[in-house]
Amino acid sequence: MSGRIAAVALLTAAALTVSCSSPDLESVGEASQVATTPSMLSSSTPVEPKSIDDLEFTYQGEVSAPDVPNGLDWFNVDRPLSLVTDLRGKIVILDFWTQGCINCLHVIPDLHRLEEEFPDSLAVIGVHWAKFDHERTSDAVAKAVQRLGIRHPVVNDDHEYLRRSYRVRAWPTLVLIDPLGRVVGVHAGEGVYPLFEPVIDQMAREYGAADLIDVRPLETIAKSSNLIPTVLSFPGKVLADSASRTLFISDSGHHRIVITDLDGRISDVVGGGSPGLVNGAWIDARFNQPQGLALSANGRFLYVADRGNHAIRVIDLSQRTVQTLAGTGQLVHRVVAGPPNATSIASPWDIERIGDQLFVAGAGRHQLWVLGISQQGRTADWIDIFAGTGAEGIQDGPRLAATLSQPSGLATDGSTLWFTDPEASAVRSVELHDGDQLNTLVGTGLFSWGDSVGDAQATELQHAVGIELVGDTLYVADTYNHRIKAIRLPSGNSVNVAGNGSPGLKDGYGEQAQLDEPSGLSLANDILYIADTNNHRIRTLDTQTGEIATLGFSNLQVAPLITREAADETVVFARKVVAPGTLKLSVDLGLPAGYEFNEDGTFALDVTIENARTSQVVGASSYRAQGPQMPRAFDLLVEDEQNLRVRADVTVFYCPAENATFCLLRHLQLELPIKIDEAGTNEVVLMHQLPSAEEIDRSIESGSG
């Protein structure tokens, strides 16, 4: 078998049957059948050495990869990229994905790992091919890229030009392209790293030895800055406990749990900063995109569906510790019942406690799981599959023979477990005591969705994630329709109760209000708390009046400063000539019109002078306070040393004057190169204008960060 054929076989034969379903499109061809469009190829194709045809590689393609057409929106880059010009000399992976597909999310860590291991030879390009109508919008793609922490360039294939050119028919699908711009192979499904790593390693060595690898970095790539627009970042779920008057929030983008009272006064934060799987004290604990929450019967233990860690965690609210209740931290392709700490699971999205059992929405494997908990809720004794075969679908029947579609929200009255199936835009139920039947209330298929209300047959949803049972009414977070719908039981009649169908942030009554991808719901004292994910807010719905409001947060100083690798914004000032001796350095932050500094929020300013070449610190000073006073001055000793750099790291809360509880959290890095000379100045002011919320939103939408 030749190298060309072997490469295709390796990547296609190993494809897993776990990819998200797709409509009945044309079948995937092998590499030799990939469609080429000569008109899409740039005329600036580099001239290759005449001897190139004489070279043989273990993995090489025969068909030129179709280029990316003009006119598509890009993210994480400052201009569109071409396979022919910008990426020639790179091993390229095209990752065809969509934001609502759980299998696509599972691929992202593998791609990041490959990027880190092959920084000089590999370029990953995400090709967003939408399933749902809402996913086609560039605004939705930009927010998904931000929410998922995707660092590589992404292009929005909103009209499916690339999908059709490469004959892709399933999510996720990955196309491997050699440094000469030829398609090597295609892989559909998960299991990306172990499959691709040895192939890319071999390609990097062989093409590198032939001097065909362009090791220069892609200067156009702008790494995602992990913007933190507000106190919360993409909150996924919320749990309101009326007995203790406590609100628990999955602050998913900050990888932490925020604890407040029902009025938004922050009392504690568990975890935070960078993602990880770390047990122990709250301050040391780490989560990875946590989602669903549930309380033990005694109210002492908080259970967390730690989605990105593929684990169920338990927070001891009394001892202030975190432990792993179930899961190994490793993604698994097939869940096999066993001891909870030794059983691998995949992307748990929500949890619901019923007695001494904990039910889990196993989005990652299209199942419901159940854990037996003991020691007053401290530990889990066993885990088992409760419903679903593991295949994706919407087939009713006996619970273990039924098929599910990425269950992501749970609600119960103790006898029936209700859940959302987002990929089928469905609301379904399973009886807990009177049988084992699983039934569908709303939803007809994997590619059937809409936005309508009425009787059960007329009701349509679009990727609904959250659900809450209130009396005989199911409240549903109709995520991609940006609405809250209410479904009356047992009739199935539905009405819109909040949101006008367009993404936005607006308070008001009923359909006067706007939300943006609401994902979590929880009720306390007639108030429905909403995790309004893409607005980075917790919203409230008064179930008696229908009024939507935004929950304001207070006591902000309780929330520790977010530790992260990159600042929200790095500003490099023009070089200054500074005299040796004492330098009076002032930092002055300008506020947008209508904003003020928040006196409750912790302000931090660290100033260092370092050798610009070695990054060795030669002087430092810091300032901490509740609310800043601008400008802030420091006296720094500057010696007669060349290649110096002043760096100021700033973290600040600031808020609209008319709504001081809605605050922006901004982390800045200000850099000033300096030259030492007797004729220089001994006073320098670093002045920077802070952005408004609207300006931050526009930067996210544009992908500029």
Side-chain angles (χ1 to χ4, degrees), residues 120-403:
D120 299 327
S121 54
L122 176 66
V124 176
I125 306 296
V127 182
H128 190 272
W129 161 39
K131 172 181 176 179
F132 293 95
D133 296 338
H134 169 64
E135 294 176 333
R136 297 183 185 278
T137 67
S138 288
D139 177 68
V141 177
K143 292 173 180 176
V145 168
Q146 188 73 19
R147 181 174 68 249
L148 299 172
I150 296 174
R151 302 189 294 266
H152 51 253
V154 174
V155 60
N156 184 18
D157 191 27
D158 53 347
H159 294 290
E160 302 184 21
Y161 298 127
L162 286 167
R163 197 280 300 169
R164 296 181 186 277
S165 295
Y166 287 90
R167 300 187 179 182
V168 173
R169 60 180 296 270
W171 298 278
T173 294
L174 297 97
V175 180
L176 182 66
I177 300 170
D178 69 22
L180 299 178
R182 306 169 302 193
V183 175
V184 175
V186 179
H187 168 71
E190 300 179 18
V192 169
Y193 179 81
L195 182 64
F196 277 71
E197 190 276 336
V199 176
I200 295 172
D201 181 65
Q202 184 80 7
M203 292 176 70
R205 286 187 282 111
E206 292 184 0
Y207 285 91
D211 200 27
L212 293 174
I213 295 288
D214 185 353
V215 299
R216 296 173 300 174
L218 292 172
E219 299 294 341
T220 54
I221 296 179
K223 297 294 185 182
S224 175
S225 57
N226 195 24
L227 291 172
I228 314 291
T230 63
V231 176
L232 303 177
S233 176
F234 299 106
K237 297 289 187 182
V238 61
L239 174 64
D241 181 44
S242 56
S244 63
R245 290 192 50 79
T246 303
L247 192 67
F248 303 95
I249 304 166
S250 287
D251 190 8
S252 307
H254 287 153
H255 313 289
R256 64 182 184 174
I257 307 300
V258 175
I259 305 173
T260 79
D261 65 16
L262 297 181
D263 297 321
R265 180 176 176 82
I266 300 173
S267 59
D268 277 300
V269 172
V270 189
S274 59
L277 177 55
V278 179
N279 293 318
W282 286 9
I283 193 171
D284 301 319
R286 292 291 180 269
F287 300 89
N288 189 350
Q289 300 180 7
Q291 288 287 333
L293 304 163
L295 274 174
S296 63
N298 58 14
R300 174 176 170 177
F301 301 101
L302 178 71
Y303 307 109
V304 181
D306 197 359
R307 205 286 300 172
N309 279 325
H310 313 293
I312 306 298
R313 314 288 293 283
V314 56
I315 299 173
D316 189 327
L317 299 173
S318 176
Q319 297 297 316
R320 302 176 68 85
T321 58
V322 178
Q323 298 297 325
T324 299
L325 190 72
T328 64
Q330 299 299 313
L331 175 68
V332 70
H333 299 298
R334 180 173 177 265
V335 177
V336 178
N341 284 119
T343 299
S344 296
I345 56 178
S347 289
W349 213 283
D350 201 8
I351 48 181
E352 185 81 24
R353 184 191 58 82
I354 303 175
D356 59 356
Q357 294 183 329
L358 198 64
F359 291 83
V360 181
R365 290 294 164 257
H366 313 294
Q367 293 177 315
L368 302 179
W369 307 313
V370 58
L371 289 83
I373 51 180
S374 61
Q375 295 188 11
Q376 298 181 322
R378 184 190 304 272
T379 61
D381 297 327
W382 51 268
I383 185 172
D384 206 350
I385 298 167
F386 183 73
T389 65
E392 186 175 16
I394 189 173
Q395 178 180 335
D396 291 345
R399 55 183 173 84
L400 292 176
T403 56

Side-chain angles (χ1 to χ4, degrees), residues 583 585 605-611 615-624 634-638 645-649:
L583 171 65
L585 178 77
L605 174 56
D606 297 305
V607 178
T608 58
I609 298 180
E610 60 186 26
N611 186 299
S615 297
Q616 181 180 359
V617 175
V618 297
S621 187
S622 64
Y623 172 76
R624 298 284 193 280
F634 297 85
D635 290 334
L636 298 170
L637 183 62
V638 180
R645 175 174 58 207
V646 176
R647 188 170 69 188
D649 289 288

Side-chain angles (χ1 to χ4, degrees), residues 313-490:
R313 314 288 293 283
V314 56
I315 299 173
D316 189 327
L317 299 173
S318 176
Q319 297 297 316
R320 302 176 68 85
T321 58
V322 178
Q323 298 297 325
T324 299
L325 190 72
T328 64
Q330 299 299 313
L331 175 68
V332 70
H333 299 298
R334 180 173 177 265
V335 177
V336 178
N341 284 119
T343 299
S344 296
I345 56 178
S347 289
W349 213 283
D350 201 8
I351 48 181
E352 185 81 24
R353 184 191 58 82
I354 303 175
D356 59 356
Q357 294 183 329
L358 198 64
F359 291 83
V360 181
R365 290 294 164 257
H366 313 294
Q367 293 177 315
L368 302 179
W369 307 313
V370 58
L371 289 83
I373 51 180
S374 61
Q375 295 188 11
Q376 298 181 322
R378 184 190 304 272
T379 61
D381 297 327
W382 51 268
I383 185 172
D384 206 350
I385 298 167
F386 183 73
T389 65
E392 186 175 16
I394 189 173
Q395 178 180 335
D396 291 345
R399 55 183 173 84
L400 292 176
T403 56
L404 284 59
S405 310
Q406 204 169 305
S408 301
L410 298 172
T412 188
D413 59 1
S415 61
T416 301
L417 185 65
W418 300 90
F419 64 97
T420 57
D421 253 358
E423 284 297 286
S425 299
V427 174
R428 310 176 74 186
S429 67
V430 58
E431 298 300 320
L432 298 173
H433 305 302
D434 300 328
D436 66 350
Q437 288 295 112
L438 191 147
N439 300 295
T440 299
L441 177 64
V442 174
T444 59
L446 291 173
F447 292 90
S448 178
W449 63 82
D451 184 9
S452 60
V453 293
D455 59 30
Q457 288 71 36
T459 300
E460 292 179 311
L461 309 169
Q462 186 181 186
H463 197 82
V465 172
I467 192 169
E468 177 74 327
L469 181 65
V470 182
D472 63 351
T473 301
L474 284 170
Y475 285 86
V476 178
D478 192 3
T479 306
Y480 282 180
N481 284 326
H482 317 288
R483 295 185 189 269
I484 307 299
K485 287 185 168 74
I487 303 174
R488 185 62 61 89
L489 301 174

Side-chain angles (χ1 to χ4, degrees), residues 595-667:
Y595 282 74
E596 61 187 21
F597 293 115
N598 186 278
E599 296 301 323
D600 288 332
T602 300
F603 174 77
L605 174 56
D606 297 305
V607 178
T608 58
I609 298 180
E610 60 186 26
N611 186 299
R613 287 183 178 176
T614 65
S615 297
Q616 181 180 359
V617 175
V618 297
S621 187
S622 64
Y623 172 76
R624 298 284 193 280
Q626 302 302 111
Q629 296 180 356
M630 291 289 137
R632 196 74 211 171
F634 297 85
D635 290 334
L636 298 170
L637 183 62
V638 180
E639 302 293 344
D640 189 9
E641 184 176 352
Q642 300 301 310
N643 301 307
L644 292 181
R645 175 174 58 207
V646 176
R647 188 170 69 188
D649 289 288
V650 188
T651 302
V652 61
F653 283 99
Y654 59 105
C655 326
E658 74 278 2
N659 183 12
T661 56
F662 156 53
C663 291
L664 301 175
L665 172 61
R666 196 75 174 165
H667 178 207

